[in-house]
Amino acid sequence: QFAVVHRDPREAQAAIDAAMDELLWVEHTMTRFTDTSDIGRANLFAADDAVVVRPETAYVTREALRWAAALDGRYDPAIGAVCKLWDVKHRHEPPQPDRVCALADRRFHRSVEVGTLHGAPVLRYHDSEARLDLGSIAKGYGVDRAVRALRRLGIEKAVVVAGGDLYTIGTSPSGDPWSIGIQSPTDERGIA
């Protein structure tokens, strides 16, 4: 979602379109839900061989791995296999306990390598069950890119919201700080 303040509605819409293009580019490049994205291809093949990825994917992966190391695995961007196993959107009962135990406390992030091959960034997995899921960090990276697009096109006042990631630029139309609320869980029109 975007809220943009600008004197020319056409320029505002063009800026929103450019910002949305940035978010969509990150989604298409870094999603784990398709086999054609950088992450989708890595999740299919990086346990067998190096997979060439875009520099941006390598950057976001490196940052995710840095956070995982700093948090001693309490955050692990390589738990895609765990996410797929639990599949909360489609699963109606817990997965088999033996499969859960096989994936528990594996610290998959330690098996992901970001490197280069002939000058190109690559991903390699040193555990056949490692699967990157950058959803926890790529969305924020996408918001940062969207904000840069807005600023590049002259937007000085805006709010960008992508799920739980939010960024404000400047002040609200009144000149006051932006007022941000969280939707009430009991009243979809209310603010908690």
Side-chain angles (χ1 to χ4, degrees), residues 7 9-11 20 39 56 61 77 95 101 133 140 149 154 161 169 187:
R7 66 190 168 284
R10 286 182 306 251
E11 287 183 30
M20 190 65 188
I39 297 305
E56 297 87 348
T61 302
C101 288
D133 180 346
V161 180
I169 303 171
D187 176 7

Side-chain angles (χ1 to χ4, degrees), residues 60-142:
V60 172
T61 302
R62 238 184 254 104
E63 287 299 302
L65 295 175
R66 185 176 66 80
W67 278 103
L71 294 169
D72 195 29
R74 288 184 297 279
Y75 161 70
D76 191 341
I79 61 165
V82 176
C83 295
K84 186 175 180 178
L85 177 68
W86 282 92
D87 189 14
V88 295
K89 287 187 179 181
H90 301 102
R91 181 172 287 288
H92 300 291
E93 58 189 46
Q96 294 299 316
D98 61 326
R99 191 67 186 126
V100 172
C101 288
L103 296 175
D105 200 28
R106 293 277 292 279
R107 299 177 191 242
F108 289 107
H109 69 280
R110 292 179 178 167
S111 66
V112 176
E113 176 188 348
V114 182
T116 58
L117 181 65
H118 306 297
V122 295
L123 296 177
R124 289 183 185 90
Y125 299 169
H126 301 288
D127 182 325
S128 63
E129 294 196 281
R131 299 288 184 278
L132 277 172
D133 180 346
L134 297 179
S136 59
I137 191 170
K139 201 182 313 176
Y141 175 72

Side-chain angles (χ1 to χ4, degrees), residues 10 20 33 51 54 68 82 85 91 102 130 134 143 147 149 162 175 179 185 188:
R10 286 182 306 251
M20 190 65 188
F33 295 107
V51 174
R54 290 168 182 83
V82 176
L85 177 68
R91 181 172 287 288
L134 297 179
V143 167
V147 166
S179 179
E188 46 180 78

